[in-house]
mmCIF file of all heavy atoms in Angstrom:
data_model
loop_
_atom_site.group_PDB
_atom_site.id
_atom_site.type_symbol
_atom_site.label_atom_id
_atom_site.label_comp_id
_atom_site.label_asym_id
_atom_site.label_seq_id
_atom_site.Cartn_x
_atom_site.Cartn_y
_atom_site.Cartn_z
ATOM 1 N N LEU J 351 75.789 77.779 88.489
ATOM 2 C CA LEU J 351 76.438 76.509 88.806
ATOM 3 C C LEU J 351 75.417 75.384 88.882
ATOM 4 O O LEU J 351 74.279 75.593 89.299
ATOM 5 C CB LEU J 351 77.146 76.595 90.162
ATOM 6 C CG LEU J 351 78.328 77.547 90.285
ATOM 7 C CD1 LEU J 351 78.806 77.582 91.727
ATOM 8 C CD2 LEU J 351 79.451 77.149 89.362
ATOM 9 N N SER J 352 75.858 74.200 88.491
ATOM 10 C CA SER J 352 75.000 73.029 88.670
ATOM 11 C C SER J 352 74.928 72.705 90.160
ATOM 12 O O SER J 352 75.724 73.217 90.954
ATOM 13 C CB SER J 352 75.563 71.832 87.906
ATOM 14 O OG SER J 352 76.731 71.348 88.561
ATOM 15 N N GLU J 353 74.013 71.857 90.533
ATOM 16 C CA GLU J 353 73.875 71.487 91.948
ATOM 17 C C GLU J 353 75.153 70.828 92.470
ATOM 18 O O GLU J 353 75.588 71.099 93.592
ATOM 19 C CB GLU J 353 72.666 70.556 92.135
ATOM 20 C CG GLU J 353 72.263 70.376 93.571
ATOM 21 C CD GLU J 353 71.965 71.682 94.306
ATOM 22 O OE1 GLU J 353 71.382 72.602 93.714
ATOM 23 O OE2 GLU J 353 72.326 71.781 95.493
ATOM 24 N N VAL J 354 75.773 69.999 91.661
ATOM 25 C CA VAL J 354 77.022 69.331 92.062
ATOM 26 C C VAL J 354 78.140 70.361 92.244
ATOM 27 O O VAL J 354 78.902 70.301 93.215
ATOM 28 C CB VAL J 354 77.432 68.257 91.023
ATOM 29 C CG1 VAL J 354 78.825 67.720 91.293
ATOM 30 C CG2 VAL J 354 76.416 67.128 91.010
ATOM 31 N N GLU J 355 78.214 71.341 91.332
ATOM 32 C CA GLU J 355 79.230 72.389 91.449
ATOM 33 C C GLU J 355 79.001 73.242 92.698
ATOM 34 O O GLU J 355 79.955 73.615 93.382
ATOM 35 C CB GLU J 355 79.227 73.283 90.203
ATOM 36 C CG GLU J 355 79.761 72.580 88.964
ATOM 37 C CD GLU J 355 79.536 73.377 87.688
ATOM 38 O OE1 GLU J 355 78.452 74.009 87.554
ATOM 39 O OE2 GLU J 355 80.442 73.369 86.836
ATOM 40 N N LYS J 356 77.743 73.541 93.020
ATOM 41 C CA LYS J 356 77.429 74.298 94.239
ATOM 42 C C LYS J 356 77.860 73.526 95.483
ATOM 43 O O LYS J 356 78.430 74.092 96.407
ATOM 44 C CB LYS J 356 75.930 74.598 94.323
ATOM 45 C CG LYS J 356 75.460 75.661 93.368
ATOM 46 C CD LYS J 356 73.966 75.875 93.511
ATOM 47 C CE LYS J 356 73.441 76.812 92.445
ATOM 48 N NZ LYS J 356 71.993 76.994 92.527
ATOM 49 N N GLN J 357 77.584 72.225 95.490
ATOM 50 C CA GLN J 357 77.972 71.398 96.633
ATOM 51 C C GLN J 357 79.491 71.344 96.768
ATOM 52 O O GLN J 357 80.024 71.420 97.881
ATOM 53 C CB GLN J 357 77.397 69.990 96.496
ATOM 54 C CG GLN J 357 75.908 69.939 96.687
ATOM 55 C CD GLN J 357 75.323 68.560 96.399
ATOM 56 O OE1 GLN J 357 76.007 67.642 95.971
ATOM 57 N NE2 GLN J 357 74.023 68.426 96.623
ATOM 58 N N ALA J 358 80.189 71.243 95.635
ATOM 59 C CA ALA J 358 81.653 71.210 95.662
ATOM 60 C C ALA J 358 82.204 72.541 96.168
ATOM 61 O O ALA J 358 83.129 72.574 96.995
ATOM 62 C CB ALA J 358 82.208 70.896 94.278
ATOM 63 N N LEU J 359 81.634 73.644 95.697
ATOM 64 C CA LEU J 359 82.059 74.972 96.143
ATOM 65 C C LEU J 359 81.837 75.121 97.643
ATOM 66 O O LEU J 359 82.730 75.565 98.374
ATOM 67 C CB LEU J 359 81.307 76.057 95.374
ATOM 68 C CG LEU J 359 81.560 77.501 95.797
ATOM 69 C CD1 LEU J 359 83.018 77.895 95.614
ATOM 70 C CD2 LEU J 359 80.651 78.441 95.016
ATOM 71 N N ASP J 360 80.667 74.723 98.119
ATOM 72 C CA ASP J 360 80.369 74.805 99.552
ATOM 73 C C ASP J 360 81.354 73.979 100.366
ATOM 74 O O ASP J 360 81.842 74.424 101.413
ATOM 75 C CB ASP J 360 78.941 74.326 99.846
ATOM 76 C CG ASP J 360 77.885 75.314 99.377
ATOM 77 O OD1 ASP J 360 78.220 76.475 99.081
ATOM 78 O OD2 ASP J 360 76.703 74.902 99.289
ATOM 79 N N TYR J 361 81.677 72.775 99.877
ATOM 80 C CA TYR J 361 82.602 71.889 100.600
ATOM 81 C C TYR J 361 84.006 72.487 100.656
ATOM 82 O O TYR J 361 84.633 72.520 101.715
ATOM 83 C CB TYR J 361 82.636 70.505 99.942
ATOM 84 C CG TYR J 361 83.575 69.560 100.630
ATOM 85 C CD1 TYR J 361 83.211 68.920 101.812
ATOM 86 C CD2 TYR J 361 84.840 69.307 100.113
ATOM 87 C CE1 TYR J 361 84.068 68.065 102.465
ATOM 88 C CE2 TYR J 361 85.714 68.441 100.752
ATOM 89 C CZ TYR J 361 85.324 67.825 101.930
ATOM 90 O OH TYR J 361 86.185 66.985 102.574
ATOM 91 N N VAL J 362 84.491 72.987 99.528
ATOM 92 C CA VAL J 362 85.842 73.558 99.483
ATOM 93 C C VAL J 362 85.925 74.773 100.402
ATOM 94 O O VAL J 362 86.872 74.910 101.177
ATOM 95 C CB VAL J 362 86.250 73.926 98.036
ATOM 96 C CG1 VAL J 362 87.512 74.773 98.012
ATOM 97 C CG2 VAL J 362 86.443 72.667 97.206
ATOM 98 N N VAL J 363 84.938 75.644 100.336
ATOM 99 C CA VAL J 363 84.946 76.844 101.181
ATOM 100 C C VAL J 363 84.861 76.460 102.658
ATOM 101 O O VAL J 363 85.559 77.031 103.502
ATOM 102 C CB VAL J 363 83.820 77.817 100.774
ATOM 103 C CG1 VAL J 363 83.643 78.921 101.801
ATOM 104 C CG2 VAL J 363 84.110 78.406 99.400
ATOM 105 N N GLU J 364 84.040 75.478 102.972
ATOM 106 C CA GLU J 364 83.951 74.998 104.362
ATOM 107 C C GLU J 364 85.318 74.538 104.854
ATOM 108 O O GLU J 364 85.741 74.868 105.960
ATOM 109 C CB GLU J 364 82.950 73.842 104.441
ATOM 110 C CG GLU J 364 82.854 73.183 105.789
ATOM 111 C CD GLU J 364 81.980 71.925 105.752
ATOM 112 O OE1 GLU J 364 80.945 71.939 105.071
ATOM 113 O OE2 GLU J 364 82.358 70.940 106.403
ATOM 114 N N LYS J 365 86.043 73.789 104.025
ATOM 115 C CA LYS J 365 87.364 73.294 104.411
ATOM 116 C C LYS J 365 88.391 74.422 104.478
ATOM 117 O O LYS J 365 89.284 74.401 105.326
ATOM 118 C CB LYS J 365 87.844 72.191 103.449
ATOM 119 C CG LYS J 365 87.007 70.937 103.519
ATOM 120 C CD LYS J 365 86.940 70.396 104.928
ATOM 121 C CE LYS J 365 86.003 69.238 105.071
ATOM 122 N NZ LYS J 365 85.775 68.839 106.457
ATOM 123 N N LEU J 366 88.262 75.411 103.594
ATOM 124 C CA LEU J 366 89.160 76.568 103.649
ATOM 125 C C LEU J 366 88.988 77.318 104.970
ATOM 126 O O LEU J 366 89.969 77.665 105.636
ATOM 127 C CB LEU J 366 88.883 77.520 102.484
ATOM 128 C CG LEU J 366 89.413 77.122 101.120
ATOM 129 C CD1 LEU J 366 88.865 78.049 100.042
ATOM 130 C CD2 LEU J 366 90.927 77.149 101.112
ATOM 131 N N VAL J 367 87.737 77.560 105.343
ATOM 132 C CA VAL J 367 87.461 78.270 106.593
ATOM 133 C C VAL J 367 87.920 77.426 107.781
ATOM 134 O O VAL J 367 88.561 77.941 108.701
ATOM 135 C CB VAL J 367 85.972 78.658 106.687
ATOM 136 C CG1 VAL J 367 85.620 79.189 108.075
ATOM 137 C CG2 VAL J 367 85.630 79.691 105.619
ATOM 138 N N GLU J 368 87.635 76.143 107.744
ATOM 139 C CA GLU J 368 88.057 75.236 108.815
ATOM 140 C C GLU J 368 89.560 75.265 109.019
ATOM 141 O O GLU J 368 90.049 75.199 110.142
ATOM 142 C CB GLU J 368 87.658 73.804 108.434
ATOM 143 C CG GLU J 368 86.813 73.089 109.420
ATOM 144 C CD GLU J 368 86.397 71.731 108.871
ATOM 145 O OE1 GLU J 368 87.264 70.871 108.615
ATOM 146 O OE2 GLU J 368 85.177 71.548 108.683
ATOM 147 N N ALA J 369 90.310 75.344 107.922
ATOM 148 C CA ALA J 369 91.768 75.291 107.989
ATOM 149 C C ALA J 369 92.357 76.481 108.746
ATOM 150 O O ALA J 369 93.383 76.341 109.408
ATOM 151 C CB ALA J 369 92.363 75.233 106.581
ATOM 152 N N LEU J 370 91.738 77.651 108.669
ATOM 153 C CA LEU J 370 92.297 78.845 109.307
ATOM 154 C C LEU J 370 91.564 79.276 110.561
ATOM 155 O O LEU J 370 92.096 80.039 111.360
ATOM 156 C CB LEU J 370 92.313 80.026 108.325
ATOM 157 C CG LEU J 370 93.177 79.913 107.090
ATOM 158 C CD1 LEU J 370 93.268 81.254 106.388
ATOM 159 C CD2 LEU J 370 94.557 79.384 107.387
ATOM 160 N N ASN J 371 90.335 78.817 110.743
ATOM 161 C CA ASN J 371 89.505 79.282 111.848
ATOM 162 C C ASN J 371 89.956 78.660 113.161
ATOM 163 O O ASN J 371 89.634 77.522 113.460
ATOM 164 C CB ASN J 371 88.042 78.970 111.560
ATOM 165 C CG ASN J 371 87.116 79.554 112.591
ATOM 166 O OD1 ASN J 371 86.312 78.854 113.173
ATOM 167 N ND2 ASN J 371 87.214 80.842 112.844
ATOM 168 N N VAL J 372 90.687 79.425 113.946
ATOM 169 C CA VAL J 372 91.241 78.928 115.203
ATOM 170 C C VAL J 372 90.231 78.989 116.335
ATOM 171 O O VAL J 372 90.128 78.067 117.137
ATOM 172 C CB VAL J 372 92.507 79.746 115.581
ATOM 173 C CG1 VAL J 372 93.045 79.343 116.936
ATOM 174 C CG2 VAL J 372 93.570 79.592 114.504
ATOM 175 N N ASN J 373 89.445 80.067 116.388
ATOM 176 C CA ASN J 373 88.550 80.251 117.536
ATOM 177 C C ASN J 373 87.178 79.599 117.379
ATOM 178 O O ASN J 373 86.341 79.685 118.259
ATOM 179 C CB ASN J 373 88.396 81.742 117.878
ATOM 180 C CG ASN J 373 87.731 82.538 116.777
ATOM 181 O OD1 ASN J 373 87.202 81.977 115.822
ATOM 182 N ND2 ASN J 373 87.767 83.847 116.909
ATOM 183 N N GLY J 374 86.922 78.956 116.239
ATOM 184 C CA GLY J 374 85.697 78.189 116.065
ATOM 185 C C GLY J 374 84.437 78.983 115.767
ATOM 186 O O GLY J 374 83.338 78.445 115.845
ATOM 187 N N ASP J 375 84.566 80.258 115.380
ATOM 188 C CA ASP J 375 83.371 81.073 115.126
ATOM 189 C C ASP J 375 82.914 81.041 113.662
ATOM 190 O O ASP J 375 81.997 81.759 113.281
ATOM 191 C CB ASP J 375 83.596 82.517 115.572
ATOM 192 C CG ASP J 375 84.662 83.241 114.768
ATOM 193 O OD1 ASP J 375 85.324 82.608 113.913
ATOM 194 O OD2 ASP J 375 84.847 84.453 115.002
ATOM 195 N N ASN J 376 83.554 80.200 112.837
ATOM 196 C CA ASN J 376 83.231 80.075 111.407
ATOM 197 C C ASN J 376 83.423 81.374 110.639
ATOM 198 O O ASN J 376 82.786 81.599 109.621
ATOM 199 C CB ASN J 376 81.817 79.532 111.180
ATOM 200 C CG ASN J 376 81.744 78.062 111.476
ATOM 201 O OD1 ASN J 376 82.716 77.339 111.290
ATOM 202 N ND2 ASN J 376 80.613 77.608 111.955
ATOM 203 N N ARG J 377 84.288 82.230 111.140
ATOM 204 C CA ARG J 377 84.691 83.465 110.470
ATOM 205 C C ARG J 377 86.212 83.511 110.526
ATOM 206 O O ARG J 377 86.812 82.946 111.432
ATOM 207 C CB ARG J 377 84.103 84.698 111.152
ATOM 208 C CG ARG J 377 82.572 84.721 111.136
ATOM 209 C CD ARG J 377 82.017 85.985 111.723
ATOM 210 N NE ARG J 377 82.294 87.149 110.892
ATOM 211 C CZ ARG J 377 81.585 87.514 109.819
ATOM 212 N NH1 ARG J 377 80.569 86.791 109.435
ATOM 213 N NH2 ARG J 377 81.886 88.589 109.143
ATOM 214 N N ILE J 378 86.809 84.193 109.587
ATOM 215 C CA ILE J 378 88.261 84.335 109.577
ATOM 216 C C ILE J 378 88.589 85.790 109.885
ATOM 217 O O ILE J 378 88.263 86.684 109.097
ATOM 218 C CB ILE J 378 88.858 83.945 108.199
ATOM 219 C CG1 ILE J 378 88.462 82.525 107.811
ATOM 220 C CG2 ILE J 378 90.367 84.118 108.194
ATOM 221 C CD1 ILE J 378 88.889 81.458 108.769
ATOM 222 N N ASP J 379 89.217 86.014 111.044
ATOM 223 C CA ASP J 379 89.621 87.384 111.347
ATOM 224 C C ASP J 379 91.001 87.635 110.745
ATOM 225 O O ASP J 379 91.646 86.729 110.223
ATOM 226 C CB ASP J 379 89.565 87.677 112.853
ATOM 227 C CG ASP J 379 90.532 86.845 113.673
ATOM 228 O OD1 ASP J 379 91.664 86.557 113.216
ATOM 229 O OD2 ASP J 379 90.165 86.482 114.808
ATOM 230 N N ARG J 380 91.430 88.874 110.809
ATOM 231 C CA ARG J 380 92.691 89.280 110.176
ATOM 232 C C ARG J 380 93.870 88.454 110.691
ATOM 233 O O ARG J 380 94.700 88.008 109.925
ATOM 234 C CB ARG J 380 92.909 90.771 110.428
ATOM 235 C CG ARG J 380 94.014 91.391 109.638
ATOM 236 C CD ARG J 380 94.127 92.886 109.927
ATOM 237 N NE ARG J 380 92.887 93.633 109.757
ATOM 238 C CZ ARG J 380 92.370 94.004 108.583
ATOM 239 N NH1 ARG J 380 92.974 93.683 107.477
ATOM 240 N NH2 ARG J 380 91.252 94.688 108.531
ATOM 241 N N GLN J 381 93.947 88.232 111.990
ATOM 242 C CA GLN J 381 95.062 87.488 112.563
ATOM 243 C C GLN J 381 95.045 86.028 112.098
ATOM 244 O O GLN J 381 96.083 85.470 111.748
ATOM 245 C CB GLN J 381 95.036 87.558 114.085
ATOM 246 C CG GLN J 381 96.229 86.875 114.718
ATOM 247 C CD GLN J 381 96.282 87.089 116.215
ATOM 248 O OE1 GLN J 381 95.548 87.903 116.769
ATOM 249 N NE2 GLN J 381 97.155 86.360 116.879
ATOM 250 N N GLU J 382 93.869 85.399 112.093
ATOM 251 C CA GLU J 382 93.769 84.014 111.613
ATOM 252 C C GLU J 382 94.198 83.928 110.152
ATOM 253 O O GLU J 382 94.896 82.998 109.754
ATOM 254 C CB GLU J 382 92.334 83.498 111.749
ATOM 255 C CG GLU J 382 91.905 83.250 113.173
ATOM 256 C CD GLU J 382 90.421 82.964 113.307
ATOM 257 O OE1 GLU J 382 89.610 83.521 112.538
ATOM 258 O OE2 GLU J 382 90.071 82.167 114.202
ATOM 259 N N TYR J 383 93.767 84.904 109.374
ATOM 260 C CA TYR J 383 94.082 84.922 107.949
ATOM 261 C C TYR J 383 95.599 85.000 107.730
ATOM 262 O O TYR J 383 96.171 84.164 107.042
ATOM 263 C CB TYR J 383 93.390 86.112 107.279
ATOM 264 C CG TYR J 383 93.767 86.315 105.834
ATOM 265 C CD1 TYR J 383 93.144 85.603 104.830
ATOM 266 C CD2 TYR J 383 94.741 87.236 105.483
ATOM 267 C CE1 TYR J 383 93.482 85.791 103.493
ATOM 268 C CE2 TYR J 383 95.090 87.434 104.153
ATOM 269 C CZ TYR J 383 94.461 86.713 103.171
ATOM 270 O OH TYR J 383 94.820 86.899 101.859
ATOM 271 N N PHE J 384 96.238 86.004 108.331
ATOM 272 C CA PHE J 384 97.660 86.191 108.071
ATOM 273 C C PHE J 384 98.509 85.083 108.678
ATOM 274 O O PHE J 384 99.467 84.630 108.045
ATOM 275 C CB PHE J 384 98.123 87.570 108.544
ATOM 276 C CG PHE J 384 97.645 88.667 107.637
ATOM 277 C CD1 PHE J 384 96.749 89.616 108.080
ATOM 278 C CD2 PHE J 384 98.074 88.738 106.316
ATOM 279 C CE1 PHE J 384 96.288 90.616 107.241
ATOM 280 C CE2 PHE J 384 97.618 89.733 105.464
ATOM 281 C CZ PHE J 384 96.728 90.671 105.928
ATOM 282 N N SER J 385 98.170 84.605 109.863
ATOM 283 C CA SER J 385 98.965 83.505 110.421
ATOM 284 C C SER J 385 98.716 82.227 109.631
ATOM 285 O O SER J 385 99.621 81.422 109.435
ATOM 286 C CB SER J 385 98.692 83.309 111.909
ATOM 287 O OG SER J 385 97.419 82.778 112.130
ATOM 288 N N GLY J 386 97.492 82.063 109.126
ATOM 289 C CA GLY J 386 97.161 80.871 108.350
ATOM 290 C C GLY J 386 97.887 80.777 107.021
ATOM 291 O O GLY J 386 98.197 79.693 106.549
ATOM 292 N N ILE J 387 98.148 81.926 106.414
ATOM 293 C CA ILE J 387 98.871 81.883 105.134
ATOM 294 C C ILE J 387 100.373 82.087 105.322
ATOM 295 O O ILE J 387 101.123 82.195 104.367
ATOM 296 C CB ILE J 387 98.309 82.880 104.096
ATOM 297 C CG1 ILE J 387 98.470 84.323 104.543
ATOM 298 C CG2 ILE J 387 96.865 82.556 103.778
ATOM 299 C CD1 ILE J 387 98.140 85.328 103.452
ATOM 300 N N GLY J 388 100.787 82.145 106.590
ATOM 301 C CA GLY J 388 102.216 82.166 106.877
ATOM 302 C C GLY J 388 102.852 83.536 106.924
ATOM 303 O O GLY J 388 104.046 83.680 106.693
ATOM 304 N N ILE J 389 102.068 84.565 107.240
ATOM 305 C CA ILE J 389 102.616 85.905 107.367
ATOM 306 C C ILE J 389 102.394 86.364 108.795
ATOM 307 O O ILE J 389 101.272 86.340 109.298
ATOM 308 C CB ILE J 389 101.925 86.888 106.394
ATOM 309 C CG1 ILE J 389 102.143 86.447 104.956
ATOM 310 C CG2 ILE J 389 102.454 88.298 106.606
ATOM 311 C CD1 ILE J 389 101.371 87.271 103.949
ATOM 312 N N SER J 390 103.446 86.781 109.450
ATOM 313 C CA SER J 390 103.364 87.253 110.821
ATOM 314 C C SER J 390 102.517 88.517 110.900
ATOM 315 O O SER J 390 102.656 89.422 110.075
ATOM 316 C CB SER J 390 104.772 87.534 111.337
ATOM 317 O OG SER J 390 104.758 88.457 112.391
ATOM 318 N N SER J 391 101.636 88.587 111.895
ATOM 319 C CA SER J 391 100.813 89.791 112.038
ATOM 320 C C SER J 391 101.673 90.997 112.399
ATOM 321 O O SER J 391 101.306 92.129 112.112
ATOM 322 C CB SER J 391 99.712 89.577 113.065
ATOM 323 O OG SER J 391 100.257 89.213 114.304
ATOM 324 N N LYS J 392 102.841 90.779 112.999
ATOM 325 C CA LYS J 392 103.749 91.899 113.277
ATOM 326 C C LYS J 392 104.252 92.495 111.964
ATOM 327 O O LYS J 392 104.336 93.694 111.812
ATOM 328 C CB LYS J 392 104.934 91.438 114.121
ATOM 329 C CG LYS J 392 104.612 91.261 115.579
ATOM 330 C CD LYS J 392 105.851 90.938 116.365
ATOM 331 C CE LYS J 392 105.528 90.787 117.829
ATOM 332 N NZ LYS J 392 106.694 90.431 118.621
ATOM 333 N N LYS J 393 104.599 91.617 111.024
ATOM 334 C CA LYS J 393 105.061 92.097 109.722
ATOM 335 C C LYS J 393 103.964 92.905 109.039
ATOM 336 O O LYS J 393 104.207 93.958 108.486
ATOM 337 C CB LYS J 393 105.426 90.927 108.805
ATOM 338 C CG LYS J 393 106.794 90.377 108.988
ATOM 339 C CD LYS J 393 107.034 89.342 107.899
ATOM 340 C CE LYS J 393 108.396 88.731 108.022
ATOM 341 N NZ LYS J 393 108.610 87.701 107.005
ATOM 342 N N VAL J 394 102.755 92.383 109.068
ATOM 343 C CA VAL J 394 101.638 93.004 108.371
ATOM 344 C C VAL J 394 101.329 94.379 108.956
ATOM 345 O O VAL J 394 100.948 95.287 108.230
ATOM 346 C CB VAL J 394 100.395 92.089 108.431
ATOM 347 C CG1 VAL J 394 99.167 92.789 107.911
ATOM 348 C CG2 VAL J 394 100.662 90.826 107.639
ATOM 349 N N SER J 395 101.514 94.550 110.242
ATOM 350 C CA SER J 395 101.226 95.850 110.839
ATOM 351 C C SER J 395 102.365 96.844 110.610
ATOM 352 O O SER J 395 102.236 98.015 110.918
ATOM 353 C CB SER J 395 100.947 95.694 112.334
ATOM 354 O OG SER J 395 102.094 95.200 112.984
ATOM 355 N N SER J 396 103.474 96.385 110.050
ATOM 356 C CA SER J 396 104.604 97.260 109.798
ATOM 357 C C SER J 396 104.449 97.999 108.470
ATOM 358 O O SER J 396 104.321 97.381 107.418
ATOM 359 C CB SER J 396 105.887 96.415 109.767
ATOM 360 O OG SER J 396 106.904 97.088 109.082
ATOM 361 N N PRO J 397 104.474 99.350 108.485
ATOM 362 C CA PRO J 397 104.374 100.107 107.237
ATOM 363 C C PRO J 397 105.484 99.752 106.250
ATOM 364 O O PRO J 397 105.261 99.739 105.046
ATOM 365 C CB PRO J 397 104.484 101.563 107.689
ATOM 366 C CG PRO J 397 104.102 101.560 109.130
ATOM 367 C CD PRO J 397 104.512 100.211 109.659
ATOM 368 N N ALA J 398 106.656 99.425 106.767
ATOM 369 C CA ALA J 398 107.773 99.064 105.885
ATOM 370 C C ALA J 398 107.452 97.791 105.094
ATOM 371 O O ALA J 398 107.813 97.674 103.919
ATOM 372 C CB ALA J 398 109.044 98.870 106.705
#
Side-chain angles (χ1 to χ4, degrees):
L351 294 175
S352 72
E353 193 56 38
V354 171
E355 290 170 321
K356 286 179 187 178
Q357 289 174 355
L359 175 62
D360 288 345
Y361 179 79
V362 168
V363 169
E364 175 188 320
K365 294 304 174 189
L366 283 171
V367 171
E368 236 175 63
L370 296 191
N371 186 234
V372 175
N373 64 10
D375 65 355
N376 286 329
R377 298 184 68 82
I378 303 301
D379 64 36
R380 191 178 307 283
Q381 184 173 349
E382 289 170 326
Y383 174 83
F384 286 115
S385 71
I387 64 170
I389 299 174
S390 156
S391 57
K392 282 186 179 178
K393 276 186 180 178
V394 171
S395 63
S396 159

